[in-house]
C-alpha cells in the first residue's frame, strides 16, 4: 500500500483560472474538467464567457463536444435543446412544451487579465470579490504571456506549503544562498512573500527581488525585479481529488538590451526547472500531520493553520491521521 493520503479536502473555495481569454474565441465551446466535475465553458453571443454543467439534462450528452452557441445559450448537439447561460432550458425545437424546472447547473464566471476565472464554493456560497485587474496585462511595454501548464498528482493544500518553505530553494532548486524572506500567511489564508536572492543562471548569479501575493487559494502573482522585470501568474485549479492543473503565465517588461533579454530567458528557464523539481517532490511526498520541524524551517505551521480558511468542512480527520501513522502521535 502506498503511504500516501491527504487528511484534508481536495477542493478549496475561491476563484480559479479555467482558461485563457485568447483561447476562447467568439462562439467558442470548451469542455472543462475541474473540481471532479465535467463542465462546459462557452462564449455567448454577447461575448461573455459562461459555464454550465456539461451533461445535458435531456439524455445526457456532453455539450463540450459538439455543442454550439446560439444567442445567449448553448445548443446541445444530440437533440438540439437550448440552455441559456443561467442554466435554464429556453427551447426544445421539436416539442410544444418545455418540462417544468428544466435546468442545469451554472457557475459564476469572471474574465479579466486575459484569463477566465470560475468561482467554486463547496457549500454553494455566492461568489466573493473578483480577482483584481493587473495593469501590465495588455500593456505595450510588456510582452504577451508565455504559457506553461502542468497536471500535477497532488492536492493544493499540500502544494501550497512550497511558497513558505524557504529552505528548499537552496537544497532542491540550487539557489546560491539561503534567501532572506518576509513570508506571511494573512488572516484570510493568503500567502505573501518578499525575498531578496540570487538566481542561478547560465550567466552566473543574478541579484534581485521576488514579491509574491496570493488571492485566495488558487491565484498567485509573483513580481520579479532585477535585470528584467517579470510578472508571473501562478494559478492552480483542482482537476479531481488527486490532480491539480497548474498554469504559469509569464510576462516581461520589453527591453532592447540583448543581455537583459537573455538573462530574462534564462530566468524563465530556471523557474520552469524549479517547478519541475517541485513536481517530482509533490507527486511522491506524503503529508505528515505533525512533521518534525526546526526553528529555521519558517512559518509552515502558520501557513497550515491559516490556509484552512479556504476550505469548507472540518479537518477533524487530522487526529485520525495522526493515530494512523505519523511518528510523533500521542
Ligand atoms: S441529450 Fe441534449 S438534447 Fe438530448
Ligand atoms: Fe519550489
Amino acid at each position: 500500500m502506498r503511504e500516501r493520503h491527504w487528511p484534508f479536502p481536495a477542493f478549496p473555495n475561491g476563484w480559479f483560472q479555467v482558461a485563457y481569454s485568447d483561447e476562447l474565441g467568439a462562439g467558442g465551446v470548451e469542455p472543462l474538467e475541474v473540481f471532479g466535475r465535467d463542465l462546459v465553458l462557452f462564449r455567448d453571443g454577447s461575448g461573455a464567457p459562461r459555464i454550465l454543467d456539461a451533461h445535458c439534462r435531456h439524455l445526457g450528452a456532453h455539450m463540450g463536444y459538439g455543442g454550439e452557441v446560439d444567442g445567449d445559450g448553448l445548443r446541445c448537439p444530440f437533440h438540439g435543446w437550448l440552455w441559456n447561460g443561467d442554466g435554464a432550458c429556453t427551447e426544445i425545437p421539436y416539442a410544444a412544451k418545455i418540462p417544468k424546472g428544466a435546468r442545469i447547473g451554472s457557475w459564476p464566471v469572471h474574465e479579466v487579465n486575459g484569463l477566465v476565472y470560475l468561482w467554486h464554493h463547496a457549500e454553494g456560497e455566492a461568489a466573493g470579490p473578483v480577482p483584481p485587474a493587473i495593469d501590465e496585462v495588455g500593456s505595450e511595454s510588456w510582452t504577451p504571456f508565455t504559457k506553461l501548464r502542468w497536471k500535477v498528482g497532488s492536492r493544493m493544500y499540500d502544494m501550497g506549503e512550497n511558497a513558505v518553505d524557504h529552505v528548499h530553494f537552496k537544497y532542491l532548486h540550487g539557489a546560491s544562498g539561503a534567501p532572506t524572506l518576509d513570508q506571511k500567511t494573512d488572516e484570510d489564508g493568503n500567502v505573501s512573500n518578499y525575498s531578496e536572492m540570487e538566481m542561478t543562471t547560465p550567466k552566473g548569479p543574478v541579484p534581485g527581488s521576488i514579491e509574491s501575493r496570493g488571492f485566495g487559494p488558487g491565484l498567485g502573482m509573483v513580481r520579479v525585479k532585477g535585470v528584467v522585470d517579470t510578472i508571473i501568474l501562478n494559478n492552480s485549479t483542482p482537476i479531481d481529488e488527486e490532480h491539480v492543473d497548474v498554469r504559469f503565465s509569464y510576462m516581461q517588461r520589453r527591453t532592447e538590451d540583448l543581455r537583459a533579454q537573455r538573462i530574462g530567458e534564462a530566468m524563465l528557464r530556471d523557474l520552469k526547472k524549479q517547478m519541475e523539481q517541485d513536481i517530482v517532490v509533490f507527486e511522491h511526498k506524503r503529508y505528515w500531520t505533525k512533521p518534525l520541524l526546526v526553528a529555521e524551517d519558517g512559518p509552515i505551521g502558520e501557513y497550515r493553520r491559516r490556509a484552512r480558511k479556504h476550505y469548507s468542512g472540518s479537518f477533524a480527520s487530522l487526529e485520525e491521521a495522526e493515530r494512523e501513522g505519523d511518528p510523533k502521535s500521542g
Side-chain angles (χ1 to χ4, degrees):
M1 194 178 88
R2 296 183 68 192
E3 286 191 40
R4 240 194 143 201
H5 58 272
W6 295 281
F8 46 80
F11 303 144
N13 303 323
W15 286 102
F16 299 85
Q17 181 183 347
V18 291
Y20 287 99
S21 298
D22 63 1
E23 294 175 8
L24 186 73
V29 179
E30 292 290 336
L32 298 180
E33 287 176 36
V34 291
F35 296 95
R37 291 169 178 261
D38 290 307
L39 307 181
V40 58
L41 165 68
F42 64 98
R43 195 177 286 289
D44 74 13
S46 76
R50 309 299 301 252
I51 296 176
L52 298 175
D53 287 346
H55 293 117
C56 179
R57 280 294 281 120
H58 178 219
L59 284 164
H62 190 308
M63 295 190 285
Y65 298 90
E68 284 187 13
V69 172
D70 186 342
D72 69 349
L74 182 64
R75 194 175 289 284
C76 178
F78 209 4
H79 314 91
W81 291 31
L82 182 64
W83 302 91
N84 72 14
D86 296 326
C89 180
T90 55
E91 188 191 304
I92 301 171
Y94 58 88
K97 241 177 91 185
I98 296 171
K100 225 172 123 215
R103 295 195 65 86
I104 52 178
S106 73
W107 296 66
V109 190
H110 187 69
E111 186 171 34
V112 69
N113 303 326
L115 308 180
V116 180
Y117 302 92
L118 162 145
W119 170 262
H120 170 267
H121 194 283
E123 293 166 304
E125 269 182 30
V130 296
I134 300 160
D135 293 340
E136 290 86 349
V137 176
S139 153
E140 296 271 294
S141 355
W142 287 74
T143 63
F145 290 139
T146 298
K147 302 168 182 171
L148 294 173
R149 190 173 179 184
W150 297 271
K151 180 176 180 177
V152 184
S154 185
R155 287 193 178 181
M156 284 177 54
Y157 184 79
D158 200 0
M159 293 164 62
E161 248 170 58
N162 208 249
V164 296
D165 172 8
H166 65 104
V167 176
H168 91 285
F169 283 97
K170 180 174 176 185
Y171 294 94
L172 182 65
H173 300 316
S176 45
T180 56
L181 290 169
D182 179 19
Q183 298 151 315
K184 290 188 186 72
T185 307
D186 71 17
E187 289 296 334
D188 294 327
N190 295 318
V191 176
S192 67
N193 180 342
Y194 179 78
S195 60
E196 289 176 354
M197 66 194 299
E198 289 190 332
M199 304 289 293
T200 307
T201 77
K203 298 273 165 196
V206 177
S209 71
I210 299 183
E211 187 186 357
S212 67
R213 170 107 195 108
F215 182 83
L219 307 178
M221 177 167 69
V222 183
R223 282 177 184 273
V224 183
K225 288 186 179 152
V227 186
V228 182
D229 292 345
T230 305
I231 292 175
I232 304 144
L233 304 184
N234 164 6
N235 294 340
S236 301
T237 308
I239 297 168
D240 57 29
E241 299 209 338
E242 299 181 4
H243 298 92
V244 179
D245 199 349
V246 178
R247 292 180 177 92
F248 280 14
S249 309
Y250 296 104
M251 41 188 297
Q252 290 181 333
R253 192 189 294 280
R254 291 187 198 274
T255 172
E256 299 293 311
D257 178 349
L258 284 180
R259 181 178 153 272
Q261 284 177 11
R262 277 198 302 274
I263 289 171
E265 286 159 15
M267 191 177 66
L268 295 192
R269 278 197 301 277
D270 197 53
L271 290 168
K272 178 169 182 278
K273 189 186 78 188
Q274 286 193 14
M275 182 61 194
E276 286 163 0
Q277 291 166 331
D278 282 329
I279 287 173
V280 175
V281 174
F282 292 157
E283 295 200 325
H284 298 92
K285 79 188 285 289
R286 69 158 287 175
Y287 182 91
W288 295 122
T289 301
K290 286 186 177 175
L292 286 172
L293 292 171
V294 293
E296 294 81 359
D297 280 321
I300 288 174
E302 180 186 84
Y303 163 81
R304 287 186 171 196
R305 272 192 314 281
R306 293 187 166 174
R308 286 186 200 182
K309 292 186 178 170
H310 293 144
Y311 292 81
S312 292
S314 75
F315 280 51
S317 59
L318 285 171
E319 284 69 35
E320 213 171 290
E322 283 165 27
R323 282 197 299 276
E324 277 172 9
D326 285 7
K328 296 261 292 174
S329 62

PDB file of all heavy atoms in Angstrom, residues 105-123:
ATOM      1  N   GLY A 105     -26.925  23.048 -13.873  1.00  0.00           N
ATOM      2  CA  GLY A 105     -26.124  23.920 -13.022  1.00  0.00           C
ATOM      3  C   GLY A 105     -25.353  24.959 -13.827  1.00  0.00           C
ATOM      4  O   GLY A 105     -24.838  24.660 -14.900  1.00  0.00           O
ATOM      5  N   SER A 106     -25.314  26.201 -13.319  1.00  0.00           N
ATOM      6  CA  SER A 106     -24.477  27.229 -13.942  1.00  0.00           C
ATOM      7  C   SER A 106     -23.505  27.744 -12.890  1.00  0.00           C
ATOM      8  O   SER A 106     -23.782  27.690 -11.690  1.00  0.00           O
ATOM      9  CB  SER A 106     -25.328  28.365 -14.501  1.00  0.00           C
ATOM     10  OG  SER A 106     -25.835  29.149 -13.455  1.00  0.00           O
ATOM     11  N   TRP A 107     -22.364  28.223 -13.317  1.00  0.00           N
ATOM     12  CA  TRP A 107     -21.260  28.574 -12.422  1.00  0.00           C
ATOM     13  C   TRP A 107     -20.853  30.026 -12.615  1.00  0.00           C
ATOM     14  O   TRP A 107     -20.764  30.482 -13.763  1.00  0.00           O
ATOM     15  CB  TRP A 107     -20.058  27.664 -12.721  1.00  0.00           C
ATOM     16  CG  TRP A 107     -20.329  26.222 -12.429  1.00  0.00           C
ATOM     17  CD1 TRP A 107     -21.223  25.410 -13.067  1.00  0.00           C
ATOM     18  CD2 TRP A 107     -19.719  25.436 -11.405  1.00  0.00           C
ATOM     19  NE1 TRP A 107     -21.199  24.162 -12.500  1.00  0.00           N
ATOM     20  CE2 TRP A 107     -20.285  24.146 -11.485  1.00  0.00           C
ATOM     21  CE3 TRP A 107     -18.739  25.693 -10.440  1.00  0.00           C
ATOM     22  CZ2 TRP A 107     -19.914  23.110 -10.633  1.00  0.00           C
ATOM     23  CZ3 TRP A 107     -18.368  24.667  -9.597  1.00  0.00           C
ATOM     24  CH2 TRP A 107     -18.947  23.396  -9.689  1.00  0.00           C
ATOM     25  N   PRO A 108     -20.569  30.761 -11.532  1.00  0.00           N
ATOM     26  CA  PRO A 108     -20.113  32.142 -11.681  1.00  0.00           C
ATOM     27  C   PRO A 108     -18.781  32.206 -12.447  1.00  0.00           C
ATOM     28  O   PRO A 108     -17.880  31.410 -12.199  1.00  0.00           O
ATOM     29  CB  PRO A 108     -19.921  32.622 -10.237  1.00  0.00           C
ATOM     30  CG  PRO A 108     -20.760  31.706  -9.405  1.00  0.00           C
ATOM     31  CD  PRO A 108     -20.735  30.392 -10.109  1.00  0.00           C
ATOM     32  N   VAL A 109     -18.699  33.155 -13.373  1.00  0.00           N
ATOM     33  CA  VAL A 109     -17.516  33.325 -14.223  1.00  0.00           C
ATOM     34  C   VAL A 109     -17.081  34.781 -14.177  1.00  0.00           C
ATOM     35  O   VAL A 109     -17.929  35.677 -14.073  1.00  0.00           O
ATOM     36  CB  VAL A 109     -17.851  32.986 -15.704  1.00  0.00           C
ATOM     37  CG1 VAL A 109     -16.578  32.922 -16.531  1.00  0.00           C
ATOM     38  CG2 VAL A 109     -18.616  31.694 -15.825  1.00  0.00           C
ATOM     39  N   HIS A 110     -15.788  35.014 -14.262  1.00  0.00           N
ATOM     40  CA  HIS A 110     -15.286  36.386 -14.383  1.00  0.00           C
ATOM     41  C   HIS A 110     -14.109  36.381 -15.341  1.00  0.00           C
ATOM     42  O   HIS A 110     -13.299  35.456 -15.321  1.00  0.00           O
ATOM     43  CB  HIS A 110     -14.859  36.922 -13.008  1.00  0.00           C
ATOM     44  CG  HIS A 110     -14.489  38.373 -13.044  1.00  0.00           C
ATOM     45  ND1 HIS A 110     -15.413  39.378 -13.258  1.00  0.00           N
ATOM     46  CD2 HIS A 110     -13.282  38.996 -12.924  1.00  0.00           C
ATOM     47  CE1 HIS A 110     -14.795  40.555 -13.243  1.00  0.00           C
ATOM     48  NE2 HIS A 110     -13.505  40.352 -13.045  1.00  0.00           N
ATOM     49  N   GLU A 111     -14.046  37.403 -16.191  1.00  0.00           N
ATOM     50  CA  GLU A 111     -12.952  37.485 -17.164  1.00  0.00           C
ATOM     51  C   GLU A 111     -12.206  38.796 -16.969  1.00  0.00           C
ATOM     52  O   GLU A 111     -12.792  39.874 -17.054  1.00  0.00           O
ATOM     53  CB  GLU A 111     -13.519  37.411 -18.589  1.00  0.00           C
ATOM     54  CG  GLU A 111     -12.444  37.343 -19.659  1.00  0.00           C
ATOM     55  CD  GLU A 111     -13.033  37.046 -21.046  1.00  0.00           C
ATOM     56  OE1 GLU A 111     -14.159  37.500 -21.330  1.00  0.00           O
ATOM     57  OE2 GLU A 111     -12.339  36.367 -21.831  1.00  0.00           O
ATOM     58  N   VAL A 112     -10.905  38.688 -16.699  1.00  0.00           N
ATOM     59  CA  VAL A 112     -10.044  39.871 -16.564  1.00  0.00           C
ATOM     60  C   VAL A 112      -8.607  39.378 -16.688  1.00  0.00           C
ATOM     61  O   VAL A 112      -8.344  38.170 -16.549  1.00  0.00           O
ATOM     62  CB  VAL A 112     -10.293  40.587 -15.198  1.00  0.00           C
ATOM     63  CG1 VAL A 112      -9.785  39.760 -14.011  1.00  0.00           C
ATOM     64  CG2 VAL A 112      -9.672  41.982 -15.161  1.00  0.00           C
ATOM     65  N   ASN A 113      -7.673  40.258 -16.999  1.00  0.00           N
ATOM     66  CA  ASN A 113      -6.252  39.899 -17.109  1.00  0.00           C
ATOM     67  C   ASN A 113      -5.987  38.862 -18.202  1.00  0.00           C
ATOM     68  O   ASN A 113      -5.032  38.087 -18.112  1.00  0.00           O
ATOM     69  CB  ASN A 113      -5.713  39.360 -15.766  1.00  0.00           C
ATOM     70  CG  ASN A 113      -5.895  40.353 -14.638  1.00  0.00           C
ATOM     71  OD1 ASN A 113      -5.812  41.564 -14.859  1.00  0.00           O
ATOM     72  ND2 ASN A 113      -6.165  39.861 -13.441  1.00  0.00           N
ATOM     73  N   GLY A 114      -6.841  38.809 -19.220  1.00  0.00           N
ATOM     74  CA  GLY A 114      -6.656  37.821 -20.279  1.00  0.00           C
ATOM     75  C   GLY A 114      -6.949  36.402 -19.828  1.00  0.00           C
ATOM     76  O   GLY A 114      -6.559  35.447 -20.483  1.00  0.00           O
ATOM     77  N   LEU A 115      -7.658  36.266 -18.686  1.00  0.00           N
ATOM     78  CA  LEU A 115      -7.950  34.940 -18.145  1.00  0.00           C
ATOM     79  C   LEU A 115      -9.445  34.817 -17.858  1.00  0.00           C
ATOM     80  O   LEU A 115     -10.128  35.811 -17.606  1.00  0.00           O
ATOM     81  CB  LEU A 115      -7.174  34.700 -16.843  1.00  0.00           C
ATOM     82  CG  LEU A 115      -5.665  34.939 -16.856  1.00  0.00           C
ATOM     83  CD1 LEU A 115      -5.087  34.646 -15.474  1.00  0.00           C
ATOM     84  CD2 LEU A 115      -4.975  34.078 -17.904  1.00  0.00           C
ATOM     85  N   VAL A 116      -9.921  33.580 -17.885  1.00  0.00           N
ATOM     86  CA  VAL A 116     -11.303  33.294 -17.485  1.00  0.00           C
ATOM     87  C   VAL A 116     -11.240  32.564 -16.146  1.00  0.00           C
ATOM     88  O   VAL A 116     -10.518  31.566 -16.006  1.00  0.00           O
ATOM     89  CB  VAL A 116     -12.020  32.431 -18.536  1.00  0.00           C
ATOM     90  CG1 VAL A 116     -13.457  32.135 -18.097  1.00  0.00           C
ATOM     91  CG2 VAL A 116     -12.000  33.111 -19.902  1.00  0.00           C
ATOM     92  N   TYR A 117     -11.983  33.084 -15.161  1.00  0.00           N
ATOM     93  CA  TYR A 117     -11.987  32.528 -13.818  1.00  0.00           C
ATOM     94  C   TYR A 117     -13.363  31.957 -13.484  1.00  0.00           C
ATOM     95  O   TYR A 117     -14.393  32.521 -13.860  1.00  0.00           O
ATOM     96  CB  TYR A 117     -11.693  33.614 -12.784  1.00  0.00           C
ATOM     97  CG  TYR A 117     -10.385  34.360 -12.940  1.00  0.00           C
ATOM     98  CD1 TYR A 117     -10.325  35.540 -13.683  1.00  0.00           C
ATOM     99  CD2 TYR A 117      -9.227  33.916 -12.312  1.00  0.00           C
ATOM    100  CE1 TYR A 117      -9.132  36.254 -13.789  1.00  0.00           C
ATOM    101  CE2 TYR A 117      -8.037  34.622 -12.417  1.00  0.00           C
ATOM    102  CZ  TYR A 117      -7.994  35.790 -13.152  1.00  0.00           C
ATOM    103  OH  TYR A 117      -6.828  36.504 -13.258  1.00  0.00           O
ATOM    104  N   LEU A 118     -13.365  30.878 -12.722  1.00  0.00           N
ATOM    105  CA  LEU A 118     -14.604  30.275 -12.229  1.00  0.00           C
ATOM    106  C   LEU A 118     -14.609  30.371 -10.698  1.00  0.00           C
ATOM    107  O   LEU A 118     -13.560  30.227 -10.058  1.00  0.00           O
ATOM    108  CB  LEU A 118     -14.655  28.808 -12.676  1.00  0.00           C
ATOM    109  CG  LEU A 118     -15.606  27.839 -11.977  1.00  0.00           C
ATOM    110  CD1 LEU A 118     -16.143  26.836 -13.004  1.00  0.00           C
ATOM    111  CD2 LEU A 118     -14.905  27.055 -10.871  1.00  0.00           C
ATOM    112  N   TRP A 119     -15.795  30.614 -10.140  1.00  0.00           N
ATOM    113  CA  TRP A 119     -15.948  30.597  -8.679  1.00  0.00           C
ATOM    114  C   TRP A 119     -16.422  29.222  -8.241  1.00  0.00           C
ATOM    115  O   TRP A 119     -17.390  28.688  -8.785  1.00  0.00           O
ATOM    116  CB  TRP A 119     -16.975  31.654  -8.247  1.00  0.00           C
ATOM    117  CG  TRP A 119     -17.371  31.556  -6.792  1.00  0.00           C
ATOM    118  CD1 TRP A 119     -18.491  30.947  -6.305  1.00  0.00           C
ATOM    119  CD2 TRP A 119     -16.661  32.068  -5.661  1.00  0.00           C
ATOM    120  NE1 TRP A 119     -18.524  31.058  -4.924  1.00  0.00           N
ATOM    121  CE2 TRP A 119     -17.409  31.747  -4.510  1.00  0.00           C
ATOM    122  CE3 TRP A 119     -15.467  32.780  -5.506  1.00  0.00           C
ATOM    123  CZ2 TRP A 119     -17.002  32.105  -3.223  1.00  0.00           C
ATOM    124  CZ3 TRP A 119     -15.054  33.132  -4.236  1.00  0.00           C
ATOM    125  CH2 TRP A 119     -15.823  32.798  -3.106  1.00  0.00           C
ATOM    126  N   HIS A 120     -15.703  28.650  -7.269  1.00  0.00           N
ATOM    127  CA  HIS A 120     -16.139  27.381  -6.679  1.00  0.00           C
ATOM    128  C   HIS A 120     -16.309  27.546  -5.183  1.00  0.00           C
ATOM    129  O   HIS A 120     -15.420  28.090  -4.505  1.00  0.00           O
ATOM    130  CB  HIS A 120     -15.098  26.278  -6.923  1.00  0.00           C
ATOM    131  CG  HIS A 120     -15.380  25.030  -6.135  1.00  0.00           C
ATOM    132  ND1 HIS A 120     -14.842  24.795  -4.891  1.00  0.00           N
ATOM    133  CD2 HIS A 120     -16.192  23.972  -6.394  1.00  0.00           C
ATOM    134  CE1 HIS A 120     -15.291  23.638  -4.427  1.00  0.00           C
ATOM    135  NE2 HIS A 120     -16.112  23.122  -5.319  1.00  0.00           N
ATOM    136  N   HIS A 121     -17.427  27.092  -4.658  1.00  0.00           N
ATOM    137  CA  HIS A 121     -17.599  27.026  -3.214  1.00  0.00           C
ATOM    138  C   HIS A 121     -18.289  25.713  -2.874  1.00  0.00           C
ATOM    139  O   HIS A 121     -19.354  25.407  -3.404  1.00  0.00           O
ATOM    140  CB  HIS A 121     -18.409  28.209  -2.685  1.00  0.00           C
ATOM    141  CG  HIS A 121     -18.304  28.341  -1.186  1.00  0.00           C
ATOM    142  ND1 HIS A 121     -18.999  27.517  -0.326  1.00  0.00           N
ATOM    143  CD2 HIS A 121     -17.550  29.158  -0.419  1.00  0.00           C
ATOM    144  CE1 HIS A 121     -18.688  27.844   0.925  1.00  0.00           C
ATOM    145  NE2 HIS A 121     -17.809  28.833   0.899  1.00  0.00           N
ATOM    146  N   ALA A 122     -17.662  24.955  -1.978  1.00  0.00           N
ATOM    147  CA  ALA A 122     -18.145  23.603  -1.685  1.00  0.00           C
ATOM    148  C   ALA A 122     -19.572  23.610  -1.142  1.00  0.00           C
ATOM    149  O   ALA A 122     -20.318  22.650  -1.328  1.00  0.00           O
ATOM    150  CB  ALA A 122     -17.208  22.922  -0.689  1.00  0.00           C
ATOM    151  N   GLU A 123     -19.953  24.714  -0.464  1.00  0.00           N
ATOM    152  CA  GLU A 123     -21.310  24.770   0.094  1.00  0.00           C
ATOM    153  C   GLU A 123     -22.209  25.726  -0.692  1.00  0.00           C
ATOM    154  O   GLU A 123     -23.252  26.144  -0.197  1.00  0.00           O
ATOM    155  CB  GLU A 123     -21.231  25.214   1.553  1.00  0.00           C
ATOM    156  CG  GLU A 123     -20.558  24.166   2.423  1.00  0.00           C
ATOM    157  CD  GLU A 123     -20.158  24.709   3.770  1.00  0.00           C
ATOM    158  OE1 GLU A 123     -19.417  25.718   3.817  1.00  0.00           O
ATOM    159  OE2 GLU A 123     -20.586  24.133   4.782  1.00  0.00           O
TER     160      GLU A 123
END
